[in-house]
Amino acid sequence: NELNGTLPSGLFELTNLKYLFLGDNGFSGSISDDIDQLANLRQLTVSENPMAGTIPSALGLCKYLESLNIYYTNIEGTIPEEVCLLTQGYNNLQIQADCSPDKATAVPFIKCDCCKFCCDHNTHECKIESDEQPSAINDQHTTSTISNNSDVTRSQLMEKLEVEVLHRGATFNDMASDDPRQLALNWILDEDGTGLDLNAGNFIQRYTLALLAYSLDSQAWGVTGDETVNLRVVESNFSWLSSVDECSWYNVTCTSGVVTGLWLGEKVMF
């Protein structure tokens, strides 16, 4: 998109608004203190805009907020405590911001003690904060990370998928190597960096999204202006099949760790 200017004041009168995606545009100005009028807001994305200023503490009044994306902007300062408290609430807010230490100064562009994903403002490299543990509040989306490389575990995982996803008596052993179901299996068992096991509440969900990507030959879903880029290795954009939480994959909408929507518009299905 090529939208620009400051955010209009009338935007904050849309009090029933739940999803506000403004990323990858030319918006300037700052996030208004009036953001608290969007009391039903669940996702806010202003990433990849030349917006400046700081994050208002009023955003902490958006109690239903689940996802906040403010990376690759000129927003700086400290994430307010009121906003950080939402990461401990029922909705388990996930924040992605420019909070990685600058390689030259060792100082982050944004100071954040509660961000799940931290990006480098200059290099556009992002990573998961390694010291974060899965939230006990979000029981449905607990990620268990014990090794799944043993033959026993692989067999159990394959059997679980055959019963709960494939149905109709289909088995992986009878599939061609280029079958999307087989490709998704190989990815989640051998390539996926999360190392999920049978006890992971999101194992079926993650496999199903991978299957969707392979079935539509769209493993490269993500945010880019260059269609020649292999987005599977562009971790900073959290493309599909990258090793971050699938709820942070591009245009995947989740509620309490469970996928509730897919925004597969023309921008991502190239």
Side-chain angles (χ1 to χ4, degrees), residues 241-256:
L241 302 189
S242 57
S243 58
V244 300
D245 187 302
E246 67 274 8
C247 288
S248 295
W249 290 355
Y250 185 58
N251 279 359
V252 175
T253 301
C254 291
T255 299
S256 299

Side-chain angles (χ1 to χ4, degrees), residues 104-173:
T105 66
V107 177
F109 204 74
I110 291 180
K111 183 178 179 182
C112 181
D113 296 326
C114 59
C115 289
K116 182 171 183 178
F117 305 103
C118 279
C119 304
D120 186 303
H121 180 72
N122 297 312
T123 66
H124 287 195
E125 296 176 353
C126 300
K127 64 182 180 66
I128 301 176
E129 289 299 275
S130 58
D131 59 349
E132 179 175 322
Q133 300 297 321
S135 171
I137 297 173
N138 191 3
D139 292 331
Q140 287 185 293
H141 205 188
T142 300
T143 54
S144 178
T145 57
I146 64 174
S147 173
N148 62 4
N149 292 324
S150 71
D151 291 338
V152 174
T153 304
R154 290 178 68 90
S155 176
Q156 291 174 334
L157 290 170
M158 290 170 63
E159 182 179 352
K160 181 180 180 68
L161 291 172
E162 287 171 350
V163 171
E164 298 189 24
V165 180
L166 303 186
H167 304 298
R168 299 180 181 177
T171 63
F172 289 108
N173 291 331

Side-chain angles (χ1 to χ4, degrees), residues 174-208:
D174 296 331
M175 294 178 190
S177 60
D178 60 350
D179 188 297
R181 297 168 295 179
Q182 190 72 253
L183 294 173
L185 174 72
N186 294 338
W187 173 79
I188 201 167
L189 293 184
D190 301 322
E191 300 180 39
D192 184 16
T194 58
L196 300 181
D197 77 335
L198 284 171
N199 296 317
N202 62 324
F203 177 75
I204 295 296
Q205 172 174 280
R206 194 168 177 85
Y207 172 80
T208 303

